[in-house]
Amino acid sequence: MLDKKKGLVVVAIENGTVIDQIPPDKLFKVVSILNLDTLDCQITVGNNLKSNKIGTKGIIKITGKYFEPSVINKIALIAPNAKLNIIKDYQVIEKRNIDIPDEINNIIRCANPKCITNNEPVETLFHVIDKENVKVKCHYCERSISQESIIMK
């Protein structure tokens, strides 16, 4: 539907998840994390949309799908200031910031090839040392990893 004053209007979803305020340069990384290409539900993806808060933004609407905390934590590492909305019966029943937790358990890989987590069946554990600039430190080998170098499992 097109509203001449506002531009393209995206239809509301009845039930599902909306991830909003995604930085435009991070949108397709979030799409990849969510494995949206494997879902058989209605998905709306918008990028470089006007935002009063961040200038331009990306948004993803997924009908009938809700995500586990581990998936939301992955998104937090890529787009730490995004917003998560849970929709039921066309109403937002939960609205929250996607925040980086203090510890990241078994969702990213250590960049150190000699780390025990890359050589033994040990789950990774990272301590977040900078939430604003997204920097984590391996619990085992103490290697620091910046956001650009994070590799998801």
Side-chain angles (χ1 to χ4, degrees):
M1 175 188 333
L2 185 62
D3 179 327
K4 291 182 182 180
K5 291 182 183 178
K6 295 181 182 177
L8 188 61
V9 178
V10 178
V11 178
I13 60 175
E14 182 177 2
N15 297 299
T17 303
V18 176
I19 303 167
D20 197 2
Q21 301 295 328
I22 304 167
D25 62 328
K26 307 292 185 192
L27 178 72
F28 291 101
K29 288 182 182 180
V30 174
V31 166
S32 177
I33 288 168
L34 296 173
N35 294 314
L36 296 183
D37 60 331
T38 65
L39 300 179
D40 61 356
C41 56
Q42 182 180 346
I43 300 165
T44 303
V45 177
N47 202 19
N48 293 313
L49 305 172
K50 280 189 175 185
S51 168
N52 293 333
K53 293 181 182 178
I54 61 173
T56 59
K57 68 177 182 176
I59 187 170
I60 303 170
K61 292 185 173 191
I62 307 109
T63 301
K65 181 76 176 157
Y66 305 97
F67 296 96
E68 297 292 323
S70 62
V71 175
I72 302 305
N73 286 343
K74 285 182 182 182
I75 295 169
L77 292 168
I78 301 303
N81 296 313
K83 309 292 182 224
L84 179 76
N85 299 313
I86 303 300
I87 313 296
K88 294 212 174 154
D89 296 321
Y90 295 102
Q91 299 295 315
V92 177
I93 64 156
E94 182 181 349
K95 188 173 199 166
R96 62 182 163 114
N97 295 334
I98 296 179
D99 296 319
I100 300 173
D102 294 330
E103 291 184 344
I104 306 294
N105 296 305
N106 207 34
I107 63 172
I108 59 177
R109 293 175 40 206
C110 185
N112 178 0
K114 294 183 179 183
C115 181
I116 191 170
T117 62
N118 289 319
N119 296 292
E120 299 288 334
V122 177
E123 290 187 355
T124 60
L125 174 61
F126 288 86
H127 304 283
V128 178
I129 55 177
D130 185 346
K131 289 187 178 189
E132 187 174 326
N133 297 306
V134 188
K135 193 169 187 178
V136 298
K137 183 165 130 181
C138 179
H139 177 78
Y140 300 100
C141 72
E142 298 189 346
R143 170 147 321 167
S144 294
I145 303 172
S146 63
Q147 183 182 37
E148 300 79 33
S149 302
I150 288 176
I151 300 169
M152 301 290 174
K153 284 186 138 189

mmCIF file with all atom_site columns, all heavy atoms in Angstrom, residues 124-148:
data_model
loop_
_atom_site.group_PDB
_atom_site.id
_atom_site.type_symbol
_atom_site.label_atom_id
_atom_site.label_alt_id
_atom_site.label_comp_id
_atom_site.label_asym_id
_atom_site.label_entity_id
_atom_site.label_seq_id
_atom_site.pdbx_PDB_ins_code
_atom_site.Cartn_x
_atom_site.Cartn_y
_atom_site.Cartn_z
_atom_site.occupancy
_atom_site.B_iso_or_equiv
_atom_site.pdbx_formal_charge
_atom_site.auth_seq_id
_atom_site.auth_comp_id
_atom_site.auth_asym_id
_atom_site.auth_atom_id
_atom_site.pdbx_PDB_model_num
ATOM 1   N N   . THR A 1 124 ? 32.636 -22.567 23.873 1.00 0.00 ? 124 THR A N   1
ATOM 2   C CA  . THR A 1 124 ? 33.301 -21.276 24.016 1.00 0.00 ? 124 THR A CA  1
ATOM 3   C C   . THR A 1 124 ? 32.593 -20.425 25.079 1.00 0.00 ? 124 THR A C   1
ATOM 4   O O   . THR A 1 124 ? 31.402 -20.572 25.327 1.00 0.00 ? 124 THR A O   1
ATOM 5   C CB  . THR A 1 124 ? 33.316 -20.495 22.684 1.00 0.00 ? 124 THR A CB  1
ATOM 6   O OG1 . THR A 1 124 ? 31.983 -20.258 22.260 1.00 0.00 ? 124 THR A OG1 1
ATOM 7   C CG2 . THR A 1 124 ? 34.092 -21.250 21.617 1.00 0.00 ? 124 THR A CG2 1
ATOM 8   N N   . LEU A 1 125 ? 33.361 -19.562 25.681 1.00 0.00 ? 125 LEU A N   1
ATOM 9   C CA  . LEU A 1 125 ? 32.851 -18.611 26.663 1.00 0.00 ? 125 LEU A CA  1
ATOM 10  C C   . LEU A 1 125 ? 33.640 -17.320 26.486 1.00 0.00 ? 125 LEU A C   1
ATOM 11  O O   . LEU A 1 125 ? 34.878 -17.333 26.510 1.00 0.00 ? 125 LEU A O   1
ATOM 12  C CB  . LEU A 1 125 ? 33.013 -19.139 28.087 1.00 0.00 ? 125 LEU A CB  1
ATOM 13  C CG  . LEU A 1 125 ? 32.649 -18.175 29.214 1.00 0.00 ? 125 LEU A CG  1
ATOM 14  C CD1 . LEU A 1 125 ? 31.181 -17.766 29.145 1.00 0.00 ? 125 LEU A CD1 1
ATOM 15  C CD2 . LEU A 1 125 ? 32.977 -18.780 30.568 1.00 0.00 ? 125 LEU A CD2 1
ATOM 16  N N   . PHE A 1 126 ? 32.925 -16.239 26.266 1.00 0.00 ? 126 PHE A N   1
ATOM 17  C CA  . PHE A 1 126 ? 33.554 -14.936 26.103 1.00 0.00 ? 126 PHE A CA  1
ATOM 18  C C   . PHE A 1 126 ? 32.972 -13.962 27.108 1.00 0.00 ? 126 PHE A C   1
ATOM 19  O O   . PHE A 1 126 ? 31.781 -13.983 27.387 1.00 0.00 ? 126 PHE A O   1
ATOM 20  C CB  . PHE A 1 126 ? 33.321 -14.390 24.691 1.00 0.00 ? 126 PHE A CB  1
ATOM 21  C CG  . PHE A 1 126 ? 34.107 -15.118 23.647 1.00 0.00 ? 126 PHE A CG  1
ATOM 22  C CD1 . PHE A 1 126 ? 33.615 -16.267 23.073 1.00 0.00 ? 126 PHE A CD1 1
ATOM 23  C CD2 . PHE A 1 126 ? 35.355 -14.648 23.259 1.00 0.00 ? 126 PHE A CD2 1
ATOM 24  C CE1 . PHE A 1 126 ? 34.344 -16.949 22.119 1.00 0.00 ? 126 PHE A CE1 1
ATOM 25  C CE2 . PHE A 1 126 ? 36.087 -15.320 22.296 1.00 0.00 ? 126 PHE A CE2 1
ATOM 26  C CZ  . PHE A 1 126 ? 35.584 -16.480 21.728 1.00 0.00 ? 126 PHE A CZ  1
ATOM 27  N N   . HIS A 1 127 ? 33.833 -13.111 27.630 1.00 0.00 ? 127 HIS A N   1
ATOM 28  C CA  . HIS A 1 127 ? 33.427 -12.032 28.517 1.00 0.00 ? 127 HIS A CA  1
ATOM 29  C C   . HIS A 1 127 ? 33.384 -10.754 27.681 1.00 0.00 ? 127 HIS A C   1
ATOM 30  O O   . HIS A 1 127 ? 34.326 -10.474 26.934 1.00 0.00 ? 127 HIS A O   1
ATOM 31  C CB  . HIS A 1 127 ? 34.406 -11.881 29.680 1.00 0.00 ? 127 HIS A CB  1
ATOM 32  C CG  . HIS A 1 127 ? 34.583 -13.149 30.460 1.00 0.00 ? 127 HIS A CG  1
ATOM 33  N ND1 . HIS A 1 127 ? 33.645 -13.603 31.359 1.00 0.00 ? 127 HIS A ND1 1
ATOM 34  C CD2 . HIS A 1 127 ? 35.562 -14.079 30.434 1.00 0.00 ? 127 HIS A CD2 1
ATOM 35  C CE1 . HIS A 1 127 ? 34.054 -14.753 31.877 1.00 0.00 ? 127 HIS A CE1 1
ATOM 36  N NE2 . HIS A 1 127 ? 35.211 -15.061 31.321 1.00 0.00 ? 127 HIS A NE2 1
ATOM 37  N N   . VAL A 1 128 ? 32.307 -10.012 27.792 1.00 0.00 ? 128 VAL A N   1
ATOM 38  C CA  . VAL A 1 128 ? 32.184 -8.767  27.044 1.00 0.00 ? 128 VAL A CA  1
ATOM 39  C C   . VAL A 1 128 ? 32.955 -7.704  27.808 1.00 0.00 ? 128 VAL A C   1
ATOM 40  O O   . VAL A 1 128 ? 32.681 -7.434  28.977 1.00 0.00 ? 128 VAL A O   1
ATOM 41  C CB  . VAL A 1 128 ? 30.702 -8.380  26.862 1.00 0.00 ? 128 VAL A CB  1
ATOM 42  C CG1 . VAL A 1 128 ? 30.578 -7.053  26.127 1.00 0.00 ? 128 VAL A CG1 1
ATOM 43  C CG2 . VAL A 1 128 ? 29.959 -9.481  26.114 1.00 0.00 ? 128 VAL A CG2 1
ATOM 44  N N   . ILE A 1 129 ? 33.946 -7.122  27.141 1.00 0.00 ? 129 ILE A N   1
ATOM 45  C CA  . ILE A 1 129 ? 34.775 -6.117  27.802 1.00 0.00 ? 129 ILE A CA  1
ATOM 46  C C   . ILE A 1 129 ? 34.449 -4.692  27.345 1.00 0.00 ? 129 ILE A C   1
ATOM 47  O O   . ILE A 1 129 ? 34.838 -3.733  27.996 1.00 0.00 ? 129 ILE A O   1
ATOM 48  C CB  . ILE A 1 129 ? 36.287 -6.409  27.626 1.00 0.00 ? 129 ILE A CB  1
ATOM 49  C CG1 . ILE A 1 129 ? 36.672 -6.549  26.166 1.00 0.00 ? 129 ILE A CG1 1
ATOM 50  C CG2 . ILE A 1 129 ? 36.659 -7.663  28.393 1.00 0.00 ? 129 ILE A CG2 1
ATOM 51  C CD1 . ILE A 1 129 ? 38.164 -6.767  25.922 1.00 0.00 ? 129 ILE A CD1 1
ATOM 52  N N   . ASP A 1 130 ? 33.719 -4.567  26.230 1.00 0.00 ? 130 ASP A N   1
ATOM 53  C CA  . ASP A 1 130 ? 33.283 -3.248  25.758 1.00 0.00 ? 130 ASP A CA  1
ATOM 54  C C   . ASP A 1 130 ? 31.968 -3.414  25.005 1.00 0.00 ? 130 ASP A C   1
ATOM 55  O O   . ASP A 1 130 ? 31.953 -3.896  23.867 1.00 0.00 ? 130 ASP A O   1
ATOM 56  C CB  . ASP A 1 130 ? 34.355 -2.635  24.856 1.00 0.00 ? 130 ASP A CB  1
ATOM 57  C CG  . ASP A 1 130 ? 34.031 -1.202  24.424 1.00 0.00 ? 130 ASP A CG  1
ATOM 58  O OD1 . ASP A 1 130 ? 32.875 -0.758  24.580 1.00 0.00 ? 130 ASP A OD1 1
ATOM 59  O OD2 . ASP A 1 130 ? 34.955 -0.535  23.914 1.00 0.00 ? 130 ASP A OD2 1
ATOM 60  N N   . LYS A 1 131 ? 30.874 -3.040  25.651 1.00 0.00 ? 131 LYS A N   1
ATOM 61  C CA  . LYS A 1 131 ? 29.550 -3.196  25.029 1.00 0.00 ? 131 LYS A CA  1
ATOM 62  C C   . LYS A 1 131 ? 29.301 -2.141  23.956 1.00 0.00 ? 131 LYS A C   1
ATOM 63  O O   . LYS A 1 131 ? 28.615 -2.404  22.982 1.00 0.00 ? 131 LYS A O   1
ATOM 64  C CB  . LYS A 1 131 ? 28.444 -3.139  26.081 1.00 0.00 ? 131 LYS A CB  1
ATOM 65  C CG  . LYS A 1 131 ? 28.407 -4.369  26.964 1.00 0.00 ? 131 LYS A CG  1
ATOM 66  C CD  . LYS A 1 131 ? 27.220 -4.369  27.884 1.00 0.00 ? 131 LYS A CD  1
ATOM 67  C CE  . LYS A 1 131 ? 27.209 -5.646  28.709 1.00 0.00 ? 131 LYS A CE  1
ATOM 68  N NZ  . LYS A 1 131 ? 25.980 -5.810  29.462 1.00 0.00 ? 131 LYS A NZ  1
ATOM 69  N N   . GLU A 1 132 ? 29.828 -0.964  24.132 1.00 0.00 ? 132 GLU A N   1
ATOM 70  C CA  . GLU A 1 132 ? 29.588 0.111   23.167 1.00 0.00 ? 132 GLU A CA  1
ATOM 71  C C   . GLU A 1 132 ? 30.268 -0.163  21.828 1.00 0.00 ? 132 GLU A C   1
ATOM 72  O O   . GLU A 1 132 ? 29.680 0.002   20.770 1.00 0.00 ? 132 GLU A O   1
ATOM 73  C CB  . GLU A 1 132 ? 30.074 1.442   23.734 1.00 0.00 ? 132 GLU A CB  1
ATOM 74  C CG  . GLU A 1 132 ? 29.713 2.619   22.867 1.00 0.00 ? 132 GLU A CG  1
ATOM 75  C CD  . GLU A 1 132 ? 30.089 3.946   23.519 1.00 0.00 ? 132 GLU A CD  1
ATOM 76  O OE1 . GLU A 1 132 ? 30.004 4.057   24.745 1.00 0.00 ? 132 GLU A OE1 1
ATOM 77  O OE2 . GLU A 1 132 ? 30.453 4.855   22.764 1.00 0.00 ? 132 GLU A OE2 1
ATOM 78  N N   . ASN A 1 133 ? 31.516 -0.583  21.863 1.00 0.00 ? 133 ASN A N   1
ATOM 79  C CA  . ASN A 1 133 ? 32.265 -0.863  20.640 1.00 0.00 ? 133 ASN A CA  1
ATOM 80  C C   . ASN A 1 133 ? 32.295 -2.357  20.295 1.00 0.00 ? 133 ASN A C   1
ATOM 81  O O   . ASN A 1 133 ? 32.951 -2.758  19.342 1.00 0.00 ? 133 ASN A O   1
ATOM 82  C CB  . ASN A 1 133 ? 33.698 -0.344  20.762 1.00 0.00 ? 133 ASN A CB  1
ATOM 83  C CG  . ASN A 1 133 ? 33.716 1.159   20.926 1.00 0.00 ? 133 ASN A CG  1
ATOM 84  O OD1 . ASN A 1 133 ? 33.141 1.881   20.130 1.00 0.00 ? 133 ASN A OD1 1
ATOM 85  N ND2 . ASN A 1 133 ? 34.345 1.630   21.988 1.00 0.00 ? 133 ASN A ND2 1
ATOM 86  N N   . VAL A 1 134 ? 31.610 -3.161  21.057 1.00 0.00 ? 134 VAL A N   1
ATOM 87  C CA  . VAL A 1 134 ? 31.503 -4.617  20.904 1.00 0.00 ? 134 VAL A CA  1
ATOM 88  C C   . VAL A 1 134 ? 32.895 -5.258  20.818 1.00 0.00 ? 134 VAL A C   1
ATOM 89  O O   . VAL A 1 134 ? 33.452 -5.481  19.742 1.00 0.00 ? 134 VAL A O   1
ATOM 90  C CB  . VAL A 1 134 ? 30.628 -5.034  19.703 1.00 0.00 ? 134 VAL A CB  1
ATOM 91  C CG1 . VAL A 1 134 ? 30.413 -6.543  19.727 1.00 0.00 ? 134 VAL A CG1 1
ATOM 92  C CG2 . VAL A 1 134 ? 29.295 -4.322  19.718 1.00 0.00 ? 134 VAL A CG2 1
ATOM 93  N N   . LYS A 1 135 ? 33.417 -5.554  21.979 1.00 0.00 ? 135 LYS A N   1
ATOM 94  C CA  . LYS A 1 135 ? 34.706 -6.245  22.094 1.00 0.00 ? 135 LYS A CA  1
ATOM 95  C C   . LYS A 1 135 ? 34.559 -7.315  23.164 1.00 0.00 ? 135 LYS A C   1
ATOM 96  O O   . LYS A 1 135 ? 34.021 -7.041  24.243 1.00 0.00 ? 135 LYS A O   1
ATOM 97  C CB  . LYS A 1 135 ? 35.809 -5.258  22.455 1.00 0.00 ? 135 LYS A CB  1
ATOM 98  C CG  . LYS A 1 135 ? 37.194 -5.810  22.288 1.00 0.00 ? 135 LYS A CG  1
ATOM 99  C CD  . LYS A 1 135 ? 38.231 -4.712  22.399 1.00 0.00 ? 135 LYS A CD  1
ATOM 100 C CE  . LYS A 1 135 ? 39.585 -5.270  22.056 1.00 0.00 ? 135 LYS A CE  1
ATOM 101 N NZ  . LYS A 1 135 ? 40.619 -4.232  22.102 1.00 0.00 ? 135 LYS A NZ  1
ATOM 102 N N   . VAL A 1 136 ? 34.999 -8.526  22.834 1.00 0.00 ? 136 VAL A N   1
ATOM 103 C CA  . VAL A 1 136 ? 34.885 -9.652  23.756 1.00 0.00 ? 136 VAL A CA  1
ATOM 104 C C   . VAL A 1 136 ? 36.254 -10.276 23.986 1.00 0.00 ? 136 VAL A C   1
ATOM 105 O O   . VAL A 1 136 ? 37.177 -10.094 23.193 1.00 0.00 ? 136 VAL A O   1
ATOM 106 C CB  . VAL A 1 136 ? 33.892 -10.711 23.216 1.00 0.00 ? 136 VAL A CB  1
ATOM 107 C CG1 . VAL A 1 136 ? 32.494 -10.137 23.086 1.00 0.00 ? 136 VAL A CG1 1
ATOM 108 C CG2 . VAL A 1 136 ? 34.353 -11.295 21.889 1.00 0.00 ? 136 VAL A CG2 1
ATOM 109 N N   . LYS A 1 137 ? 36.354 -11.029 25.100 1.00 0.00 ? 137 LYS A N   1
ATOM 110 C CA  . LYS A 1 137 ? 37.623 -11.674 25.444 1.00 0.00 ? 137 LYS A CA  1
ATOM 111 C C   . LYS A 1 137 ? 37.354 -13.136 25.784 1.00 0.00 ? 137 LYS A C   1
ATOM 112 O O   . LYS A 1 137 ? 36.459 -13.448 26.575 1.00 0.00 ? 137 LYS A O   1
ATOM 113 C CB  . LYS A 1 137 ? 38.242 -10.960 26.637 1.00 0.00 ? 137 LYS A CB  1
ATOM 114 C CG  . LYS A 1 137 ? 39.600 -11.474 27.054 1.00 0.00 ? 137 LYS A CG  1
ATOM 115 C CD  . LYS A 1 137 ? 40.246 -10.464 27.983 1.00 0.00 ? 137 LYS A CD  1
ATOM 116 C CE  . LYS A 1 137 ? 40.758 -11.101 29.219 1.00 0.00 ? 137 LYS A CE  1
ATOM 117 N NZ  . LYS A 1 137 ? 41.362 -10.146 30.132 1.00 0.00 ? 137 LYS A NZ  1
ATOM 118 N N   . CYS A 1 138 ? 38.121 -14.024 25.179 1.00 0.00 ? 138 CYS A N   1
ATOM 119 C CA  . CYS A 1 138 ? 37.974 -15.451 25.410 1.00 0.00 ? 138 CYS A CA  1
ATOM 120 C C   . CYS A 1 138 ? 38.314 -15.790 26.862 1.00 0.00 ? 138 CYS A C   1
ATOM 121 O O   . CYS A 1 138 ? 39.347 -15.347 27.393 1.00 0.00 ? 138 CYS A O   1
ATOM 122 C CB  . CYS A 1 138 ? 38.870 -16.240 24.455 1.00 0.00 ? 138 CYS A CB  1
ATOM 123 S SG  . CYS A 1 138 ? 38.782 -18.037 24.693 1.00 0.00 ? 138 CYS A SG  1
ATOM 124 N N   . HIS A 1 139 ? 37.467 -16.570 27.476 1.00 0.00 ? 139 HIS A N   1
ATOM 125 C CA  . HIS A 1 139 ? 37.664 -16.990 28.857 1.00 0.00 ? 139 HIS A CA  1
ATOM 126 C C   . HIS A 1 139 ? 38.898 -17.880 29.004 1.00 0.00 ? 139 HIS A C   1
ATOM 127 O O   . HIS A 1 139 ? 39.577 -17.839 30.022 1.00 0.00 ? 139 HIS A O   1
ATOM 128 C CB  . HIS A 1 139 ? 36.415 -17.744 29.333 1.00 0.00 ? 139 HIS A CB  1
ATOM 129 C CG  . HIS A 1 139 ? 36.522 -18.290 30.713 1.00 0.00 ? 139 HIS A CG  1
ATOM 130 N ND1 . HIS A 1 139 ? 36.382 -17.500 31.833 1.00 0.00 ? 139 HIS A ND1 1
ATOM 131 C CD2 . HIS A 1 139 ? 36.757 -19.556 31.155 1.00 0.00 ? 139 HIS A CD2 1
ATOM 132 C CE1 . HIS A 1 139 ? 36.527 -18.251 32.918 1.00 0.00 ? 139 HIS A CE1 1
ATOM 133 N NE2 . HIS A 1 139 ? 36.750 -19.501 32.531 1.00 0.00 ? 139 HIS A NE2 1
ATOM 134 N N   . TYR A 1 140 ? 39.203 -18.656 27.979 1.00 0.00 ? 140 TYR A N   1
ATOM 135 C CA  . TYR A 1 140 ? 40.263 -19.661 28.066 1.00 0.00 ? 140 TYR A CA  1
ATOM 136 C C   . TYR A 1 140 ? 41.635 -19.123 27.673 1.00 0.00 ? 140 TYR A C   1
ATOM 137 O O   . TYR A 1 140 ? 42.599 -19.302 28.402 1.00 0.00 ? 140 TYR A O   1
ATOM 138 C CB  . TYR A 1 140 ? 39.907 -20.883 27.221 1.00 0.00 ? 140 TYR A CB  1
ATOM 139 C CG  . TYR A 1 140 ? 38.627 -21.516 27.694 1.00 0.00 ? 140 TYR A CG  1
ATOM 140 C CD1 . TYR A 1 140 ? 37.433 -21.280 27.028 1.00 0.00 ? 140 TYR A CD1 1
ATOM 141 C CD2 . TYR A 1 140 ? 38.601 -22.319 28.828 1.00 0.00 ? 140 TYR A CD2 1
ATOM 142 C CE1 . TYR A 1 140 ? 36.242 -21.843 27.473 1.00 0.00 ? 140 TYR A CE1 1
ATOM 143 C CE2 . TYR A 1 140 ? 37.423 -22.885 29.292 1.00 0.00 ? 140 TYR A CE2 1
ATOM 144 C CZ  . TYR A 1 140 ? 36.246 -22.641 28.606 1.00 0.00 ? 140 TYR A CZ  1
ATOM 145 O OH  . TYR A 1 140 ? 35.074 -23.186 29.054 1.00 0.00 ? 140 TYR A OH  1
ATOM 146 N N   . CYS A 1 141 ? 41.746 -18.487 26.527 1.00 0.00 ? 141 CYS A N   1
ATOM 147 C CA  . CYS A 1 141 ? 43.061 -18.030 26.071 1.00 0.00 ? 141 CYS A CA  1
ATOM 148 C C   . CYS A 1 141 ? 43.254 -16.522 26.252 1.00 0.00 ? 141 CYS A C   1
ATOM 149 O O   . CYS A 1 141 ? 44.342 -16.020 26.014 1.00 0.00 ? 141 CYS A O   1
ATOM 150 C CB  . CYS A 1 141 ? 43.293 -18.422 24.611 1.00 0.00 ? 141 CYS A CB  1
ATOM 151 S SG  . CYS A 1 141 ? 42.306 -17.487 23.421 1.00 0.00 ? 141 CYS A SG  1
ATOM 152 N N   . GLU A 1 142 ? 42.185 -15.825 26.625 1.00 0.00 ? 142 GLU A N   1
ATOM 153 C CA  . GLU A 1 142 ? 42.193 -14.390 26.894 1.00 0.00 ? 142 GLU A CA  1
ATOM 154 C C   . GLU A 1 142 ? 42.445 -13.518 25.668 1.00 0.00 ? 142 GLU A C   1
ATOM 155 O O   . GLU A 1 142 ? 42.798 -12.356 25.789 1.00 0.00 ? 142 GLU A O   1
ATOM 156 C CB  . GLU A 1 142 ? 43.164 -14.045 28.024 1.00 0.00 ? 142 GLU A CB  1
ATOM 157 C CG  . GLU A 1 142 ? 42.777 -14.707 29.334 1.00 0.00 ? 142 GLU A CG  1
ATOM 158 C CD  . GLU A 1 142 ? 43.588 -14.234 30.522 1.00 0.00 ? 142 GLU A CD  1
ATOM 159 O OE1 . GLU A 1 142 ? 44.632 -13.581 30.335 1.00 0.00 ? 142 GLU A OE1 1
ATOM 160 O OE2 . GLU A 1 142 ? 43.147 -14.522 31.648 1.00 0.00 ? 142 GLU A OE2 1
ATOM 161 N N   . ARG A 1 143 ? 42.239 -14.082 24.476 1.00 0.00 ? 143 ARG A N   1
ATOM 162 C CA  . ARG A 1 143 ? 42.367 -13.274 23.262 1.00 0.00 ? 143 ARG A CA  1
ATOM 163 C C   . ARG A 1 143 ? 41.163 -12.350 23.157 1.00 0.00 ? 143 ARG A C   1
ATOM 164 O O   . ARG A 1 143 ? 40.024 -12.776 23.321 1.00 0.00 ? 143 ARG A O   1
ATOM 165 C CB  . ARG A 1 143 ? 42.453 -14.149 22.029 1.00 0.00 ? 143 ARG A CB  1
ATOM 166 C CG  . ARG A 1 143 ? 42.327 -13.304 20.772 1.00 0.00 ? 143 ARG A CG  1
ATOM 167 C CD  . ARG A 1 143 ? 43.030 -13.657 19.543 1.00 0.00 ? 143 ARG A CD  1
ATOM 168 N NE  . ARG A 1 143 ? 44.348 -14.173 19.594 1.00 0.00 ? 143 ARG A NE  1
ATOM 169 C CZ  . ARG A 1 143 ? 44.922 -14.733 18.548 1.00 0.00 ? 143 ARG A CZ  1
ATOM 170 N NH1 . ARG A 1 143 ? 44.255 -14.867 17.420 1.00 0.00 ? 143 ARG A NH1 1
ATOM 171 N NH2 . ARG A 1 143 ? 46.137 -15.184 18.617 1.00 0.00 ? 143 ARG A NH2 1
ATOM 172 N N   . SER A 1 144 ? 41.421 -11.080 22.849 1.00 0.00 ? 144 SER A N   1
ATOM 173 C CA  . SER A 1 144 ? 40.349 -10.108 22.635 1.00 0.00 ? 144 SER A CA  1
ATOM 174 C C   . SER A 1 144 ? 39.954 -10.109 21.165 1.00 0.00 ? 144 SER A C   1
ATOM 175 O O   . SER A 1 144 ? 40.811 -10.216 20.285 1.00 0.00 ? 144 SER A O   1
ATOM 176 C CB  . SER A 1 144 ? 40.808 -8.702  23.035 1.00 0.00 ? 144 SER A CB  1
ATOM 177 O OG  . SER A 1 144 ? 41.023 -8.657  24.430 1.00 0.00 ? 144 SER A OG  1
ATOM 178 N N   . ILE A 1 145 ? 38.655 -9.957  20.923 1.00 0.00 ? 145 ILE A N   1
ATOM 179 C CA  . ILE A 1 145 ? 38.137 -9.959  19.564 1.00 0.00 ? 145 ILE A CA  1
ATOM 180 C C   . ILE A 1 145 ? 37.199 -8.769  19.406 1.00 0.00 ? 145 ILE A C   1
ATOM 181 O O   . ILE A 1 145 ? 36.293 -8.568  20.212 1.00 0.00 ? 145 ILE A O   1
ATOM 182 C CB  . ILE A 1 145 ? 37.375 -11.270 19.264 1.00 0.00 ? 145 ILE A CB  1
ATOM 183 C CG1 . ILE A 1 145 ? 38.280 -12.478 19.504 1.00 0.00 ? 145 ILE A CG1 1
ATOM 184 C CG2 . ILE A 1 145 ? 36.834 -11.273 17.842 1.00 0.00 ? 145 ILE A CG2 1
ATOM 185 C CD1 . ILE A 1 145 ? 37.548 -13.808 19.424 1.00 0.00 ? 145 ILE A CD1 1
ATOM 186 N N   . SER A 1 146 ? 37.404 -7.981  18.346 1.00 0.00 ? 146 SER A N   1
ATOM 187 C CA  . SER A 1 146 ? 36.543 -6.839  18.070 1.00 0.00 ? 146 SER A CA  1
ATOM 188 C C   . SER A 1 146 ? 35.349 -7.296  17.232 1.00 0.00 ? 146 SER A C   1
ATOM 189 O O   . SER A 1 146 ? 35.352 -8.389  16.661 1.00 0.00 ? 146 SER A O   1
ATOM 190 C CB  . SER A 1 146 ? 37.321 -5.754  17.327 1.00 0.00 ? 146 SER A CB  1
ATOM 191 O OG  . SER A 1 146 ? 37.744 -6.244  16.069 1.00 0.00 ? 146 SER A OG  1
ATOM 192 N N   . GLN A 1 147 ? 34.337 -6.456  17.131 1.00 0.00 ? 147 GLN A N   1
ATOM 193 C CA  . GLN A 1 147 ? 33.104 -6.797  16.422 1.00 0.00 ? 147 GLN A CA  1
ATOM 194 C C   . GLN A 1 147 ? 33.374 -7.248  14.985 1.00 0.00 ? 147 GLN A C   1
ATOM 195 O O   . GLN A 1 147 ? 32.781 -8.210  14.511 1.00 0.00 ? 147 GLN A O   1
ATOM 196 C CB  . GLN A 1 147 ? 32.146 -5.606  16.415 1.00 0.00 ? 147 GLN A CB  1
ATOM 197 C CG  . GLN A 1 147 ? 30.818 -5.921  15.758 1.00 0.00 ? 147 GLN A CG  1
ATOM 198 C CD  . GLN A 1 147 ? 29.897 -4.719  15.716 1.00 0.00 ? 147 GLN A CD  1
ATOM 199 O OE1 . GLN A 1 147 ? 30.350 -3.598  15.515 1.00 0.00 ? 147 GLN A OE1 1
ATOM 200 N NE2 . GLN A 1 147 ? 28.612 -4.954  15.913 1.00 0.00 ? 147 GLN A NE2 1
ATOM 201 N N   . GLU A 1 148 ? 34.278 -6.587  14.284 1.00 0.00 ? 148 GLU A N   1
ATOM 202 C CA  . GLU A 1 148 ? 34.558 -6.907  12.892 1.00 0.00 ? 148 GLU A CA  1
ATOM 203 C C   . GLU A 1 148 ? 35.167 -8.309  12.740 1.00 0.00 ? 148 GLU A C   1
ATOM 204 O O   . GLU A 1 148 ? 35.078 -8.906  11.676 1.00 0.00 ? 148 GLU A O   1
ATOM 205 C CB  . GLU A 1 148 ? 35.530 -5.888  12.279 1.00 0.00 ? 148 GLU A CB  1
ATOM 206 C CG  . GLU A 1 148 ? 35.035 -4.453  12.288 1.00 0.00 ? 148 GLU A CG  1
ATOM 207 C CD  . GLU A 1 148 ? 35.183 -3.773  13.640 1.00 0.00 ? 148 GLU A CD  1
ATOM 208 O OE1 . GLU A 1 148 ? 36.131 -4.062  14.387 1.00 0.00 ? 148 GLU A OE1 1
ATOM 209 O OE2 . GLU A 1 148 ? 34.310 -2.949  13.955 1.00 0.00 ? 148 GLU A OE2 1
#
